[in-house]
Amino acid sequence: LGDVYKRQLPAQKNLTLSRYGQLRKKFLKEEHRLLYYNLLTTGKLDSHLQEVDERAKSMEESLMKKMSAQEGLTEELKATDQMTWVQGMNNLKQRVQEIVMKEVIYAL
């Protein structure tokens, strides 16, 4: 029984996570503690966070390209009406981030 208390957590890497990875970690820690501690104690937390972080960034990039083309937010518009382009891109980025948060960060 004494050995059980001496067991240490697996070593964690020094990860540099983007905003998405940090938000996923916070979400798991606050809303799904059992899953969070299971990943932590099995040494899988870092790889999980890194995978979610990469998937979220990739999805954001892909959606930005696809949706900006669909909405006519082109380099031509940027050159002719920069203010409209900036407003459109800012709006699009917010919508894309909401999609990524819902489908990747807050999904189980």
Side-chain angles (χ1 to χ4, degrees), residues 76-106:
E76 184 179 317
L77 178 63
K78 184 179 179 181
T80 58
D81 190 356
Q82 190 173 16
M83 188 60 95
T84 299
W85 181 85
V86 168
Q87 289 172 338
M89 289 301 281
N90 286 341
N91 180 283
L92 178 60
K93 185 160 186 142
Q94 282 185 321
R95 288 183 289 138
V96 165
Q97 287 177 343
E98 284 180 29
I99 292 168
V100 171
M101 296 295 284
K102 181 181 178 198
E103 294 187 12
V104 179
I105 305 305
Y106 299 139

